[in-house]
Amino acid sequence: MGFLNLRLKMLAFKLLRLRTIGLGKPNIGPSLAGIMPAEILRRREFKYLLLIIVLSFGISAVVLSLIGMSYFIPQFLSLALTDSVNPCTFAVYTLFLIALSVKGVDKRRLYLVGLSFVIAVYISYYTLGLGLTFIAGRIPLRWAGYFAIAFGIYTIATGIAERSRTVDKRALRRKMFSTDTTVIGALILGISVSTTLLPCSAGPYLVYAAVIARSSTAMVFLLLALYNLIFVLPLLTILFAMGSLRESKEFSRAMVRHSAELSVIAGLLLIAIGIWLLGIFKL
């Protein structure tokens, strides 16, 4: 009888063990457990990057088609995406999100302050675009083509060398962490950091300004508004499409980690635009 009880106890123990580690939960080895979060993050990166590209194409295609400029969609998207999916932009926005997380803002304030920051960047870049259009209108388009190729090569070279094109990161970091998390503070910060982004985005923006400067004044205003909407679209996507501040930071950081690849793609697109401009004039 005692032997039977012992066998029953051993059988019960084995069943309990199987339920705990075999049937109840999948036994994920340490190597697989380490890989899964990275795979999930890569899927999220791809998903949100694809969302940005699809939204950019959709908005651009609809607006340009409505104003009878559907022929300009490829060139417009090349310049606008080169500017918007920019490692410098993601680096600046990552700093901004880190500053918000350190200050412990809630979700409602995050949306309010983040949107204020994006609006300030939009207004600053739009105003800058008006000035660039005035200057670029006096530049022959052939020169704009040479400049696009030169800036494209520069972008590829700095990307491969992993050299930052953001001006004075320390001063930028101090601004981010010292500014109050208020609407006014975010507006002021957005205007001031726009000058930091200029060395990164001056290339495609100047080329775009030279191309549209020959249009009517009303068309210039409209095309600048559309370009800058595409420019801030990644920031709006990060702010509103993601579930949390942590997820937003992870995506921004991931884009910064892929700055070399993004720089090479941006440089190639700029070179293609330069060749297109030179092709108009047969060199």
Side-chain angles (χ1 to χ4, degrees):
M1 192 73 177
F3 176 74
L4 183 59
N5 286 337
L6 179 63
R7 291 296 301 270
L8 286 172
K9 285 179 181 179
M10 288 177 66
L11 182 60
F13 175 76
K14 285 182 180 179
L15 287 171
L16 182 62
R17 190 168 179 269
L18 282 171
R19 183 180 176 186
T20 304
I21 65 170
L23 302 177
K25 289 183 180 179
N27 187 15
I28 300 175
S31 60
L32 184 58
I35 292 171
M36 280 184 67
E39 287 181 346
I40 291 169
L41 182 58
R42 281 195 293 270
R43 287 173 190 166
R44 285 176 179 173
E45 288 172 25
F46 178 76
K47 181 178 72 174
Y48 288 121
L49 191 57
L50 186 62
L51 176 62
I52 290 167
I53 293 171
V54 169
L55 284 174
S56 299
F57 175 77
I59 294 169
S60 306
V62 169
V63 174
L64 291 174
S65 296
L66 286 174
I67 61 176
M69 293 184 65
S70 55
Y71 60 88
F72 188 52
I73 292 173
Q75 295 86 345
F76 174 84
L77 269 179
S78 297
L79 288 167
L81 282 175
T82 297
D83 219 352
S84 63
V85 186
N86 187 320
C88 302
T89 307
F90 286 116
V92 168
Y93 204 58
T94 299
L95 275 177
F96 177 66
L97 292 171
I98 290 172
L100 290 180
S101 65
V102 168
K103 294 173 184 179
V105 298
D106 57 32
K107 202 162 188 177
R108 181 177 174 276
R109 182 166 288 276
L110 168 66
Y111 289 148
L112 189 61
V113 173
L115 184 59
S116 302
F117 178 82
V118 174
I119 288 171
V121 170
Y122 181 92
I123 293 171
S124 301
Y125 258 72
Y126 188 91
T127 306
L128 177 65
L130 292 174
L132 281 177
T133 305
F134 177 76
I135 296 169
R138 303 170 186 274
I139 299 174
L141 274 177
R142 183 180 297 179
W143 291 10
Y146 290 129
F147 177 78
I149 293 172
F151 200 88
I153 294 170
Y154 166 74
T155 303
I156 291 171
T158 53
I160 293 172
E162 296 185 349
R163 289 182 56 189
S164 174
R165 299 191 301 275
T166 308
V167 176
D168 202 354
K169 279 188 175 181
R170 289 183 180 178
L172 178 61
R173 194 176 291 111
R174 284 196 299 270
K175 283 180 185 177
M176 292 288 187
F177 284 90
S178 61
T179 304
D180 294 332
T181 54
T182 60
V183 171
I184 300 299
L187 288 170
I188 294 171
L189 183 63
I191 293 169
S192 63
V193 301
S194 295
T195 56
T196 307
L197 291 171
L198 185 57
C200 272
S201 59
Y205 207 8
L206 181 60
V207 174
Y208 181 74
V211 171
I212 68 170
R214 277 73 182 171
S215 305
S216 66
T217 303
M219 190 62 73
V220 166
F221 288 157
L222 178 60
L223 290 173
L224 278 176
L226 179 60
Y227 183 93
N228 283 285
L229 177 60
I230 303 303
F231 177 73
V232 300
L233 190 60
L235 307 185
L236 292 172
T237 303
I238 293 169
L239 182 63
F240 290 110
M242 299 187 184
S244 64
L245 182 58
R246 180 182 176 183
E247 192 177 352
S248 300
K249 284 191 299 179
E250 283 177 352
F251 176 75
S252 294
R253 282 172 169 167
M255 291 297 100
V256 174
R257 284 196 300 271
H258 293 296
S259 60
E261 295 94 326
L262 291 173
S263 295
V264 170
I265 293 169
L268 290 173
L269 287 172
L270 267 176
I271 291 171
I273 290 293
I275 293 171
W276 168 70
L277 285 172
L278 294 177
I280 294 175
F281 299 97
K282 308 296 182 185
L283 298 180

